[in-house]
Amino acid sequence: VQLQASGGGLVQAGGSLRLSCAASGRTFTNYAMGWFRQAPGKEREFVAAISRSGGSTVYADSVKGRFTISRDNAKNTVYLQMNSLKPEDTAIYYCAVDKWGPGRTTKTDYDYWGQGTLVTVSS
């Protein structure tokens, strides 16, 4: 599985961005998906995950109520809608495949990773 993340950019605090992650292959619907982020000098951290069908989602406390993860299985794409952005949301955002689980929160549970897209939130 190959993943291509896009949609990052520079936005002012309070603004919105929508990230996309396009997956290759015909097995996309077999996998749960997740978004992680890594700020400079920090560990990669969990942001959100979604189940194979899209019927179940989970979020980090830091983004709950502001971010929404969704997927379009017909387009082999997972999205991350980010609203009310804060400077502390600045990071490289990565999408990843949870091949065996329902969309878990630990990065070591994920099997395939995209290249990342940079989100910068100015104050």
Side-chain angles (χ1 to χ4, degrees):
V1 177
Q2 291 186 320
L3 303 172
Q4 180 71 44
S6 62
L10 174 64
V11 63
Q12 288 188 331
S16 299
L17 280 175
R18 188 177 82 153
L19 306 184
S20 299
C21 175
S24 65
R26 294 178 291 178
T27 56
F28 179 74
T29 55
N30 291 344
Y31 304 137
M33 300 292 295
W35 285 97
F36 289 75
R37 67 186 181 186
Q38 188 165 15
K42 294 189 176 182
E43 293 283 323
R44 191 171 300 189
E45 65 175 7
F46 171 76
V47 175
I50 189 166
S51 62
R52 294 169 184 82
S53 68
S56 178
T57 57
V58 60
Y59 296 91
D61 288 343
S62 59
V63 307
K64 204 172 292 183
R66 300 188 297 123
F67 290 11
T68 303
I69 188 171
S70 62
R71 66 190 294 162
D72 185 337
N73 286 342
K75 295 182 178 180
N76 280 12
T77 302
V78 63
Y79 304 97
L80 185 69
Q81 177 67 43
M82 306 186 295
N83 299 329
S84 302
L85 282 161
K86 304 175 181 179
E88 51 263 45
D89 295 318
T90 294
I92 299 173
Y93 283 72
Y94 299 89
C95 57
V97 169
D98 182 357
K99 194 173 179 181
W100 304 108
R104 292 171 284 187
T105 61
T106 303
K107 57 183 181 288
T108 53
D109 288 328
Y110 284 74
D111 304 276
Y112 307 110
W113 292 82
Q115 86 292 353
T117 185
L118 176 62
V119 172
T120 304
V121 184
S122 63
S123 57

